[in-house]
Amino acid sequence: MDRRPFIAANWKMYKTIGEAEAFIMDLLPRIKDVKDRDIMIAPPFTALQAVANAVKGIEQCFAAGQNMHFEQNGAFTGEISPVMLRDIGVDYVILGHSERRHIFGEDDAFINKKVLSALSHDLAPVLCVGERLEDREAGMTEEVLRQQLTKGLNGIAVEGNSDLIKKIIIAYEPVWAIGTGKTATPEMAEDAHSFIRKLIEEIFNSTIAENILILYGGSVKSSNITGLMKEEDIDGVLVGGASLDVEHFERIIKF
Ligand code: PGA
């Protein structure tokens, strides 16, 4: 098993173009010798082209959208299409983030259309899943993950598509841990991650399950990443708040 660590920043609705450029210019020299892991940065759409330009040609650094529509174009006021993301040199797109699900009402069927569309446009989807506190307290965590993954990954035939499927990244982000300062313990996260890997085997096959990257997200900081990354099935992290500060993010990258 050779899963390369993947450290992702989700800036949410933070940073102007100038702030994003200054961050990347500060970050790149700090990480120039870090070659054994991949780094993804998802700025707001307005700063996305600037970030994509700044990381262009840097082998281990990628720009990502935080969301997209599944159509290529059309009368969808306020939306951005996969073609537009490709057009500015974006390689990854976060889909189904809990804020999209719970604030903006995106459901699994809608997110599934985006996953299929991303793959067909050669964009790597980072599909976010995760239970709410009430789901966990009701013992429903695994059921919620099963629903989100089987529905979110519906309609992707394994045969003939293994190169496409290899692009998929899963991010396990328990909703109760996002932005709250409450991280899942490494053991809790590992339980969910190993369950997710088993589900991926059921949905696709064991080779895909062994190779797929499963990131943990939810109050990741430089002080807790090491414990999380020691777990067998945790291949990387998706970091919100702690990715906004370049020194802190550098420490996370170099965990
Ligand atoms: P957080 O956000 O690190 O601020 O908890 C993570 C995320 O929402 O991806």
Side-chain angles (χ1 to χ4, degrees), residues 12 97-106 175 178:
K12 310 192 180 186
H97 188 277
S98 76
E99 285 146 21
R100 300 298 323 167
R101 291 175 188 266
H102 301 301
I103 304 175
F104 300 101
E106 294 191 11
V175 179
I178 296 178

Side-chain angles (χ1 to χ4, degrees), residues 8-12 14 94 97-99 128 171 173-182 216-221 237-244 252:
N10 173 13
W11 286 353
K12 310 192 180 186
Y14 291 96
I94 298 173
H97 188 277
S98 76
E99 285 146 21
C128 301
E173 299 205 300
V175 179
W176 49 269
I178 296 178
T180 57
K182 285 187 214 150
Y216 169 79
S219 298
V220 173
K221 302 183 264 296
V237 287
L238 179 53
V239 191
S243 73
L244 293 169
I252 290 175

Side-chain angles (χ1 to χ4, degrees), residues 159-193:
E159 227 166 288
N161 279 330
S162 55
D163 282 350
L164 268 189
I165 297 171
K166 270 191 208 144
K167 288 180 167 284
I168 301 171
I169 295 179
I170 307 296
Y172 169 62
E173 299 205 300
V175 179
W176 49 269
I178 296 178
T180 57
K182 285 187 214 150
T183 333
T185 62
E187 297 72 26
M188 280 161 90
E190 172 60 21
D191 280 350
H193 281 232

Side-chain angles (χ1 to χ4, degrees), residues 147-246:
Q147 291 289 326
Q148 290 175 336
L149 281 163
T150 49
K151 292 182 179 167
L153 297 172
N154 188 32
I156 308 168
V158 178
E159 227 166 288
N161 279 330
S162 55
D163 282 350
L164 268 189
I165 297 171
K166 270 191 208 144
K167 288 180 167 284
I168 301 171
I169 295 179
I170 307 296
Y172 169 62
E173 299 205 300
V175 179
W176 49 269
I178 296 178
T180 57
K182 285 187 214 150
T183 333
T185 62
E187 297 72 26
M188 280 161 90
E190 172 60 21
D191 280 350
H193 281 232
S194 68
F195 178 71
I196 290 170
R197 207 175 293 286
K198 280 194 209 98
L199 283 174
I200 296 294
E201 180 171 351
E202 277 177 36
I203 297 168
F204 298 122
N205 61 39
S206 59
T207 313
I208 291 168
E210 266 168 38
N211 288 296
I212 198 164
L213 295 181
I214 308 176
L215 316 181
Y216 169 79
S219 298
V220 173
K221 302 183 264 296
S222 58
S223 57
N224 58 27
I225 184 171
T226 312
L228 290 161
M229 290 300 290
K230 279 193 186 131
E231 298 293 337
E232 158 113 24
D233 291 296
I234 301 181
D235 307 313
V237 287
L238 179 53
V239 191
S243 73
L244 293 169
D245 176 78
V246 72

Side-chain angles (χ1 to χ4, degrees), residues 4-8 36-40 59-62 92:
R4 193 172 146 92
F6 194 95
I7 312 294
D36 60 346
R37 53 203 68 187
D38 289 319
I39 298 152
M40 182 197 98
E59 216 182 317
Q60 73 278 30
C61 241
F62 304 93
Y92 289 84

Side-chain angles (χ1 to χ4, degrees), residues 47-170:
L48 187 48
Q49 173 142 38
V51 169
N53 289 346
V55 301
K56 202 174 176 170
I58 297 167
E59 216 182 317
Q60 73 278 30
C61 241
F62 304 93
Q66 294 178 13
N67 183 27
M68 64 168 211
H69 197 277
F70 52 83
E71 293 287 0
Q72 297 192 30
N73 48 45
F76 300 105
T77 302
E79 293 291 319
I80 295 284
S81 86
V83 176
M84 294 165 186
L85 294 180
R86 293 301 293 154
D87 190 36
I88 58 167
V90 166
D91 297 297
Y92 289 84
V93 61
I94 298 173
L95 297 175
H97 188 277
S98 76
E99 285 146 21
R100 300 298 323 167
R101 291 175 188 266
H102 301 301
I103 304 175
F104 300 101
E106 294 191 11
D107 65 13
D108 290 313
F110 190 62
I111 294 161
N112 175 241
K113 289 185 183 166
K114 299 183 183 210
V115 171
L116 298 176
S117 171
L119 291 173
S120 74
H121 290 90
D122 205 22
L123 277 164
V126 179
L127 173 62
C128 301
V129 296
E131 81 287 0
R132 297 166 306 168
L133 185 59
E134 53 265 46
D135 302 323
R136 179 161 280 268
E137 286 173 349
M140 293 294 287
T141 299
E142 293 194 348
E143 186 49 33
V144 168
L145 295 176
R146 178 181 292 280
Q147 291 289 326
Q148 290 175 336
L149 281 163
T150 49
K151 292 182 179 167
L153 297 172
N154 188 32
I156 308 168
V158 178
E159 227 166 288
N161 279 330
S162 55
D163 282 350
L164 268 189
I165 297 171
K166 270 191 208 144
K167 288 180 167 284
I168 301 171
I169 295 179
I170 307 296

